[in-house]
Amino acid sequence: MYRIAIIAAAGALTPLAAAAQTAPAPAAAPAPAPAAGATTAPTAGAAVAAGAVVYDTQGGTVGTVASIDGANAVVDTGTVKAAIPLASLGTSPKGVTLAMTKAQLEAAAGQSAAQASANFASQLTTGAAVYGTGGAQLGTIKATDAQFVTITTAKGDAKLPVGSFGPGPSGVTIGMTQAQLDAAMAGK
């Protein structure tokens, strides 16, 4: 059995950390209604652009728009980044407005990240397919414990730190291609 320690760029290879930063606020926790006259529903072409300051309905600063991703604005509070549907943003005399305070948005994003982490942890089960960054299936999970996941590949078993795994488009993913995993298992 090979034991592979992924030390260099471990943070960059962990898709879970990136997912947690941009997780949308949970739909199950609707935002409180804005005060009468404080905001209006956004219209097509509403002025939501990267760099815009986002305010709550009382005029407090929530954060800034880090980017626009399709139908979402990624709002950076300085603590978290959360994808907010553009339809949830309104306007006020100060500018772009969200019917949540900074604290409410940070709490919702934290709950969403915790839920996503728990959901992913439940996927690390014996027999689950493991995919590489190129999308190819690299093997299946043979065993897991608190620190390591052992995967069975065509070239043998590899024991990798749990932090090396994250959610991907096809399921459990590691930040390596087949060639990189093969090279690591060969000791190169």
Side-chain angles (χ1 to χ4, degrees):
M1 176 183 307
Y2 299 94
R3 184 174 178 145
I4 301 170
I6 299 176
I7 297 171
L13 298 176
T14 306
L16 184 59
Q21 292 178 358
T22 59
T39 63
T40 59
T43 59
V48 178
V53 176
V54 179
Y55 299 95
D56 64 27
T57 57
Q58 300 303 312
T61 301
V62 175
T64 58
V65 176
S67 64
I68 305 293
D69 181 17
N72 297 310
V74 178
V75 177
D76 184 350
T77 68
T79 303
V80 299
K81 290 183 180 180
I84 305 295
L86 290 173
S88 295
L89 299 173
T91 57
S92 71
K94 288 185 100 172
V96 179
T97 305
L98 177 65
M100 295 177 87
T101 65
K102 178 179 179 179
Q104 289 170 329
L105 180 59
E106 288 173 347
Q111 290 171 349
S112 180
Q115 182 63 44
S117 180
N119 288 345
F120 175 70
S122 71
Q123 294 177 10
L124 293 176
T125 60
T126 301
V130 177
Y131 297 89
T133 56
Q137 183 174 340
L138 304 181
T140 58
I141 295 176
K142 179 178 182 179
T144 63
D145 62 36
Q147 294 181 338
F148 296 99
V149 175
T150 302
I151 63 172
T152 299
T153 72
K155 304 236 177 172
D157 290 348
K159 191 171 187 176
L160 302 163
V162 170
S164 301
F165 295 81
S170 300
V172 178
T173 303
I174 60 171
M176 299 177 133
T177 63
Q178 181 73 55
Q180 291 168 326
L181 180 61
D182 290 346
M185 289 175 67
K188 296 179 182 178

